[in-house]
Amino acid sequence: MSTTNADTDTETLTDGFHLIINALKLNDINTIYGVPGIPITDFGRYAQAAGMRVLSFRHEQHAGYAAAIAGYLSQKPGICLTVSAPGFLNGLTALAHATTNCFPMILISGSSEREIVDLQQGDYEEMDQLAIAKTLCKDAYRILHAEDIGIGIARAIRAAVSGRPGGVYLDLPAKLFGQVMNADAGAKSLVKVIDPAPRQLPAPEAVSRALNELKNAKRPLIILGKGAAYAQADADIRAFVEKSGIPYLPMSMAKGLLPDTHPLSAGAARSLALKEADVVVMIGARLNWLLSHGKGKSWGTTPKRFIQIDIEPREMDSNVEIVAPLVGDIGSCVSALLSGLGDDWPTPPAEWTSAIRQKVETNVARMAPKLRNNNVPMDFHGALGALRTIIKERPDAILVNEGANTLDFARSIIDMYQPRKRLDVGTWGVMGIGMGTAIAAAVETGHPVLAIEGDSAFGFSGMEIETICRYNLPICVVVFNNNGIYRGTDVNPSGGDDAATTVFVKDARYDKMMEAFGGVGVYATSPDDLSRAVNEAMDSGKPTLINAVIDEQAGTESGRIGNLNPQSVVSKK
Ligand code: ADP
Ligand code: TPW
Ligand code: MG
């Protein structure tokens, strides 16, 4: 921007808008997910004009989920941009989700005038956003002066990606965007963050301690979590598993880090592996509710000794004693363990590995005929059997998955073959990640996306199919339509006219929603129909939504976690 100034003849000026854009670009951040409005509409325009990809959503929560998963896939903070108060709050759920899942993300929200907000004088969209965000993310900052933009953005990037990754909030008051400063001084004030996520080497004694534990194991087991997938240390992780000969269990989003068909995968023998293992190596996975906190019935009676690799020291001993904590980044820790294995490393007793292998084979064989059924209406096995084949034939497609039964069955039925191809509800089991996740997966990777969605789950982000059509993204959404949450068969226990709390309009046509925006809608009643339609969508790359009619009686309450529902002693359902 060039203007004439009274003091100097021709001083070149810049402003907050352009400094923020240049600071992001300088740090290789070139994509923004958001929703426009006061005070950030022009910011989005200028960013697009400057060559950034700016994707406008229909609701900030989904832009936020897109940014969160973009961070997971790229190891760079995903950016979500919102307006003040309500837009900020809509984005905040996703920021908290990113933090909970250890995904790097920055929520950038415009905010109202500080002077008015702090005196609570009722400004347009007044809210003390910084104070609210603080409790829900890793760190939160506000930039008040144009000359601090470079440092402010650098701090936000480092906070998001270094150590345990997470969500960061950046508060940008409306006034900042228009603030003017000398363009040269502005350019000099920007910071290119050097080594934003530095390697953190494990202490040598911690490595020896872990190797000693492993050496003494009779029934060792490796658990791979999404932290391991995030770390992108794929080759070393695979080499560590193969060289040690230790069976491994992938957590949901770590599926495919090694192919699910790998001979050392204990995926289909999960309960046996957890119950019988004596030494367990956790790699980028937490002993939270998803692993029954490392104790109790699902871990059986065999005493466990845990080795844990994590970048966050405070993760150690959070649920049970960790006898060999390895604090550091997964790449460095796994490579240190790998070098420590040496050529004469004893593989685990064959008794153990073949017991697991046998269990896997029995379980896989038992499942096979169910997956081949061509029932109409479809059950989960028939429909997912068809989709399983599609992922086998198209291993580089990205699978997005949410729902209850739709999630639990798909996770166990669909084998994954490549790292970071399975994206789902994460640590909170949140419904609504679907379309935002699918959009970012397509945008960040360029690969085709198959989103397998419960009908309820889909409803949380359904309007974003317009976004998918608008950007013409290669996304095929399959809605598992069983007329409701878990099942479509509940009746109102009072006998009244209102529908039961878990059921939806019967035989809804989600496919027609897609047609409304110019996408392809398909109504599928059999596994064969479903296969045909998905293959067509994946070949054409056209935005497609397939309404897959699922037997409304086929699901169970809360899928596989019905045991978490509290029970009343007073009334029966
Ligand atoms: P899952 O749900 O798959 O079990 P979690 O989200 O519970 O996985 O755990 C992921 C763990 O990985 C977190 O504790 C996080 O601190 C850790 N982590 C993430 N990235 C890295 C990394 N680069 N190096 C080491 N640990 C990491
Ligand atoms: C943000 C609670 C868990 S699973 C689910 C809900 C509402 C929907 C299950 O029905 P769906 O799947 O998707 O049709 P299916 O195959 O079993 O019929 N709000 C949020 N997150 C969660 N987890 C819920 C509510 C829930
Ligand atoms: Mg349903």
Side-chain angles (χ1 to χ4, degrees):
M1 191 193 297
S2 194
T3 52
T4 305
N5 182 299
D7 301 329
T8 49
D9 255 2
T10 54
E11 183 190 11
T12 307
L13 300 177
T14 187
D15 58 21
F17 289 108
H18 293 89
L19 287 166
I20 300 163
I21 291 162
N22 291 341
L24 292 171
K25 287 178 68 180
L26 182 66
N27 286 290
D28 284 332
I29 294 175
N30 297 304
T31 306
I32 293 175
Y33 303 92
V35 175
I38 297 171
I40 49 118
T41 314
D42 270 349
F43 176 76
R45 291 194 183 108
Y46 291 136
Q48 195 170 45
M52 295 185 83
R53 187 124 200 237
V54 184
L55 294 122
S56 285
F57 282 64
R58 304 299 293 258
H59 187 293
E60 292 87 351
Q61 189 170 115
H62 310 301
Y65 289 138
I69 210 71
Y72 170 73
L73 290 170
S74 68
Q75 297 182 318
K76 289 190 290 192
I79 305 291
C80 175
L81 178 67
T82 81
V83 302
S84 19
F88 156 77
L89 287 173
N90 285 345
L92 201 52
T93 310
L95 187 70
H97 163 81
T99 309
T100 298
N101 284 277
C102 316
F103 300 159
M105 161 180 175
I106 303 175
L107 173 67
I108 301 182
S109 296
S111 59
S112 307
E113 300 308 332
R114 285 257 40 88
E115 295 80 351
I116 304 179
V117 172
D118 288 350
L119 275 172
Q120 299 180 32
Q121 293 172 312
D123 202 1
Y124 167 72
E125 296 193 347
E126 173 180 301
M127 175 173 277
D128 188 355
Q129 296 165 198
L130 188 72
I132 291 165
K134 263 186 185 153
T135 58
L136 291 166
C137 59
K138 235 183 123 179
D139 238 324
Y141 308 99
R142 174 184 295 134
I143 306 175
L144 288 173
H145 302 295
E147 57 267 32
D148 293 333
I149 286 171
I151 286 294
I153 300 247
R155 297 212 71 182
I157 292 172
R158 259 193 208 284
V161 298
S162 63
R164 170 181 276 174
V168 171
Y169 175 61
L170 189 59
D171 193 77
L172 303 183
K175 264 189 203 162
L176 177 76
F177 294 95
Q179 272 182 33
V180 168
M181 71 183 284
N182 175 282
D184 283 341
K188 286 199 189 99
S189 73
L190 301 185
V191 177
K192 176 154 177 69
V193 179
I194 294 164
D195 198 8
R199 287 199 305 150
Q200 296 190 28
L201 305 185
E205 60 274 20
V207 176
S208 325
R209 197 185 292 125
L211 286 167
N212 279 339
E213 285 294 337
L214 258 192
K215 205 165 237 165
N216 293 325
K218 299 273 175 304
R219 293 187 298 281
L221 175 71
I222 294 170
I223 297 185
L224 299 172
K226 60 180 167 319
Y230 172 79
Q232 300 195 15
D234 308 339
D236 272 1
I237 288 173
R238 186 173 184 145
F240 175 64
V241 170
E242 290 178 344
K243 195 160 176 199
S244 68
I246 300 175
Y248 71 94
L249 262 184
M251 299 300 288
S252 186
M253 282 175 59
K255 275 166 68 78
L257 196 40
L258 282 82
D260 281 333
T261 48
H262 194 284
L264 286 168
S265 170
R270 187 174 195 269
S271 30
L272 174 84
L274 291 182
K275 284 198 172 82
E276 305 283 321
D278 61 352
V279 174
V280 181
V281 190
M282 308 289 301
I283 307 184
R286 287 171 287 189
L287 286 166
N288 57 15
W289 71 281
L290 286 158
L291 284 167
S292 315
H293 306 280
K295 54 199 174 194
K297 234 171 52 198
S298 46
W299 288 88
T301 48
T302 308
K304 313 288 174 209
R305 295 181 72 75
F306 285 100
I307 300 169
Q308 184 162 25
I309 300 182
D310 207 289
I311 201 155
E312 172 55 62
R314 289 174 300 173
E315 187 56 37
M316 307 301 161
D317 308 320
S318 58
N319 285 271
V320 291
E321 181 191 12
I322 304 298
V323 298
L326 266 171
V327 175
D329 71 277
I330 285 166
S332 303
C333 292
V334 170
S335 118
L337 286 182
L338 188 57
S339 346
L341 289 184
D343 289 334
D344 54 349
W345 183 262
T347 50
E351 218 178 295
W352 169 238
T353 42
S354 55
I356 288 195
R357 199 64 228 144
Q358 254 172 33
K359 190 78 188 169
V360 166
E361 277 161 21
T362 315
N363 286 347
V364 168
R366 191 179 323 135
M367 183 75 91
K370 289 193 199 167
L371 301 179
R372 283 194 296 268
N373 90 65
N374 209 28
N375 292 344
V376 175
M378 293 183 271
D379 55 28
F380 287 95
H381 290 90
L384 289 165
L387 299 178
R388 176 182 200 263
T389 305
I390 287 172
I391 293 294
K392 186 174 180 185
E393 288 165 354
R394 302 170 185 267
D396 66 347
I398 294 184
L399 181 70
V400 173
N401 190 198
E402 60 177 337
N405 292 278
T406 304
L407 176 85
D408 291 341
F409 282 115
R411 182 176 54 234
S412 62
I413 290 172
I414 300 184
D415 286 333
M416 304 305 298
Y417 300 87
Q418 294 178 14
R420 295 169 295 282
K421 297 295 190 186
R422 187 186 151 82
L423 309 175
D424 67 25
V425 297
T427 304
W428 270 347
V430 57
M431 296 300 111
I433 52 93
M435 297 305 102
T437 301
I439 290 168
V443 166
E444 299 288 324
T445 70
H447 290 296
V449 177
L450 175 62
I452 304 179
E453 301 272 314
D455 51 342
S456 164
F458 171 71
F460 286 75
S461 66
M463 192 64 202
E464 300 298 343
I465 60 175
E466 188 276 331
T467 311
I468 293 173
C469 290
R470 183 161 22 101
Y471 294 106
N472 194 26
L473 296 169
I475 296 172
C476 173
V477 182
V478 179
V479 176
F480 272 41
N481 190 354
N482 62 353
N483 297 339
I485 298 176
Y486 315 136
R487 296 162 68 84
T489 50
D490 270 12
V491 290
N492 180 337
S494 78
D497 289 338
D498 277 354
T501 55
T502 56
V503 300
F504 298 148
V505 165
K506 291 224 183 286
D507 306 315
R509 294 294 300 268
Y510 296 100
D511 48 318
K512 297 201 173 179
M513 287 173 67
M514 197 60 153
E515 288 173 356
F517 303 114
V520 178
V522 182
Y523 182 76
T525 54
S526 71
D528 288 347
D529 277 0
L530 180 58
S531 282
R532 211 173 305 118
V534 175
N535 276 315
E536 221 162 273
M538 303 288 253
D539 286 338
S540 71
K542 284 192 195 139
T544 300
L545 189 150
I546 302 164
N547 183 92
V549 181
I550 304 288
D551 180 355
E552 63 173 10
Q553 303 187 44
T556 53
E557 178 103 357
S558 302
R560 267 191 214 161
I561 52 172
N563 59 308
L564 298 180
N565 283 307
Q567 302 283 319
S568 164
V569 293
V570 178
S571 58
K572 294 223 177 328
K573 270 179 274 177

